[in-house]
Amino acid sequence: MKKLIPLMMGVALLASCKIEDPGPSGPPPSDIAVVHLTVSGTEGTTTKMSGLEYELHEQPVHHWAWFFFEKSTGSLAAMGTAESDDKITKTLRTGVYDVCAIANYPESVDPGSIRSMSRFLALKARLSDNGTGSMLMAGSTLAIVLSKESPETEITLHLQRLVSKITVVSITRRFESPTLGAKQLTLKHIYLTNVYPESFYARDLQIEELSSSQQSWYNAMGWHHPAGLAEDRDTDRFISERDLDRSLPQNGTAGLNLSFYFFPNPLPLQADSHDSVWTGPRCTRLVLETELEGKTYFYQATLPKDDGQPAITRNTAFQVRCTLTRLGSTDPEQWIPGSLEAEFSAVTGDWDRNIDVNENS
């Protein structure tokens, strides 16, 4: 199993250097109120990506930045950065505010440059910006800061991971052909294809915001496809498990419990394509790469999994149990109906909940 690289030292340094914009100065005493801001949520599940301990790698908030934007104008009223367990106390003019936060952001993001709500809404993230033990998170809420009748306002802001998760629980081999069933089948790799590498901190992408260029997609039509984005190890560690070399005996089940992380892809199944030539956006796929008698065969499960279902959204998780019934395809984008039966189930009540900034910090 792969060993993931540790969180960059630069991010740790970033977290230790707090900044704070005091916002407008000198408001009349009758128009100010004290605001207390905390970030909270609940714990998650124990499903893991190999080489990761859930409590240490999926959950914690290491550093975060907070923003108060005036609702009427979108202008910045106050902002600052904080460490995991900080509680923010500010004095603000009374009024209505959009309160926003981002967490575990990389050095390339300068919170001090986000001076308006529109700038916050336009802030983009790369899948590779997620760090080991430091997943990107964001959240927002509306807050009404009252006057003397309620001089102090308590605001709880919930964070969500920007990624979704798919966990391969198990793979069962049950070939219909006894002849093929008698031959050795080896699971070599598992990975995601047609992965869109960016999203917004504030929201998931819309269909019309997906690039139609194959060069904008990771693993577009196959593992490290030369027409797609260039190979990137930081992206690979979240979307792949290489060199598994697991034997899949006939009528046997291999327990795996391996997780993969991706930005939600809003493309509906009816707009998907399996053509041999790229013509535009495609659905993200889970691909099992196997070997039988020296030849490579691919099995795929497309996300979203069923026609008509809503798109997968951020901070949600799914499990899948796979059954192989015949030989797969010789191309990762070629779909052979019935070769793989995928039983999906949503993970509810755990991973899809909000994040507590104080958990496992």
Side-chain angles (χ1 to χ4, degrees):
M1 298 299 178
K2 64 181 183 291
K3 298 297 183 183
L4 303 188
I5 54 179
L7 188 64
M8 294 184 299
M9 182 65 72
V11 175
L13 292 175
L14 178 65
S16 65
C17 300
K18 294 185 182 180
I19 60 173
E20 185 164 335
D21 186 328
S25 59
S30 60
D31 291 338
I32 65 172
V34 176
V35 176
H36 302 289
L37 173 65
T38 57
V39 183
S40 67
T42 57
E43 291 187 356
T45 184
T46 56
T47 303
K48 308 177 183 70
M49 175 166 59
S50 71
L52 290 184
E53 294 182 21
Y54 170 76
E55 291 81 2
L56 299 178
H57 295 95
E58 283 188 353
Q59 193 72 1
V61 173
H62 292 282
H63 58 279
W64 54 294
W66 49 271
F67 309 89
F68 284 83
F69 301 109
E70 294 180 356
K71 183 65 177 177
S72 59
T73 65
S75 60
L76 180 70
M79 63 81 57
T81 60
E83 295 180 359
S84 59
D85 56 354
D86 287 349
K87 181 175 182 178
I88 307 305
T89 299
K90 288 296 298 180
T91 301
L92 295 174
R93 288 187 174 95
T94 57
V96 183
Y97 295 89
D98 284 309
V99 186
C100 307
I102 58 176
N104 300 337
Y105 51 89
E107 287 185 285
S108 58
V109 174
D110 175 17
S113 68
I114 304 173
R115 311 295 298 182
S116 66
M117 186 64 182
S118 60
R119 178 67 186 87
F120 179 83
L121 293 175
L123 184 63
K124 286 188 174 182
R126 303 286 295 182
L127 186 59
S128 56
D129 289 342
N130 287 277
T132 305
S134 187
M135 288 190 172
L136 299 178
M137 302 179 189
S140 63
T141 191
L142 190 68
I144 301 175
V145 179
L146 301 176
S147 57
K148 291 183 289 185
E149 291 77 12
S150 180
E152 296 193 4
T153 302
E154 296 284 346
I155 302 171
T156 299
L157 183 60
H158 299 288
L159 297 180
Q160 291 185 320
R161 304 171 191 84
L162 273 57
V163 295
S164 296
K165 178 172 71 170
I166 183 73
T167 299
V168 181
V169 177
S170 63
I171 300 176
T172 299
R173 180 189 179 191
R174 194 175 294 126
F175 276 8
E176 298 166 349
S177 167
T179 302
L180 288 177
K183 297 180 179 181
Q184 180 175 341
L185 181 70
T186 303
L187 175 65
K188 303 295 290 185
H189 317 290
I190 305 178
Y191 48 88
L192 302 180
T193 61
N194 306 332
V195 175
Y196 207 69
E198 67 179 23
S199 184
F200 289 104
Y201 275 88
R203 60 174 176 84
D204 293 337
L205 288 171
Q206 302 297 311
I207 298 172
E208 60 273 14
E209 294 169 323
L210 296 173
S211 171
S212 60
S213 171
Q214 189 174 1
Q215 295 179 342
S216 298
W217 294 70
Y218 199 77
N219 284 354
M221 298 180 64
W223 176 255
H224 290 173
H225 196 290
L229 280 171
E231 174 184 348
D232 177 67
R233 291 183 62 187
D234 288 336
T235 300
D236 285 345
R237 61 194 174 132
F238 285 99
I239 66 168
S240 68
E241 283 285 350
R242 306 291 295 174
D243 304 317
L244 292 167
D245 295 324
R246 290 284 299 271
S247 176
L248 300 175
Q250 176 71 346
N251 296 319
T253 298
L256 298 172
N257 207 37
L258 300 175
S259 295
F260 306 87
Y261 303 82
F262 59 100
F263 284 148
N265 179 350
L267 192 73
L269 199 61
Q270 60 267 29
D272 192 22
S273 172
H274 290 270
D275 291 346
S276 59
V277 177
W278 182 277
T279 57
R282 299 192 176 200
C283 289
T284 301
R285 313 193 202 287
L286 173 73
V287 174
L288 313 180
E289 185 173 327
T290 66
E291 183 179 282
L292 187 146
E293 293 188 326
K295 296 182 179 180
T296 299
Y297 297 93
F298 301 94
Y299 298 86
Q300 60 171 263
T302 298
L303 307 173
K305 52 201 175 300
D306 293 316
D307 197 6
Q309 287 196 331
I312 294 174
T313 58
R314 64 179 57 189
N315 209 71
T316 57
F318 291 83
Q319 295 180 342
V320 60
R321 290 173 170 82
C322 303
T323 300
L324 313 183
T325 61
R326 62 188 73 168
L327 279 183
S329 67
T330 56
D331 184 288
E333 276 293 275
Q334 181 186 3
W335 178 49
I336 299 182
S339 60
L340 179 146
E341 297 174 356
E343 180 186 348
F344 288 91
S345 60
V347 176
T348 58
D350 289 311
W351 211 80
D352 57 345
R353 293 182 181 174
N354 298 310
I355 308 302
D356 188 340
V357 74
N358 297 313
E359 287 178 3
N360 307 307
S361 299

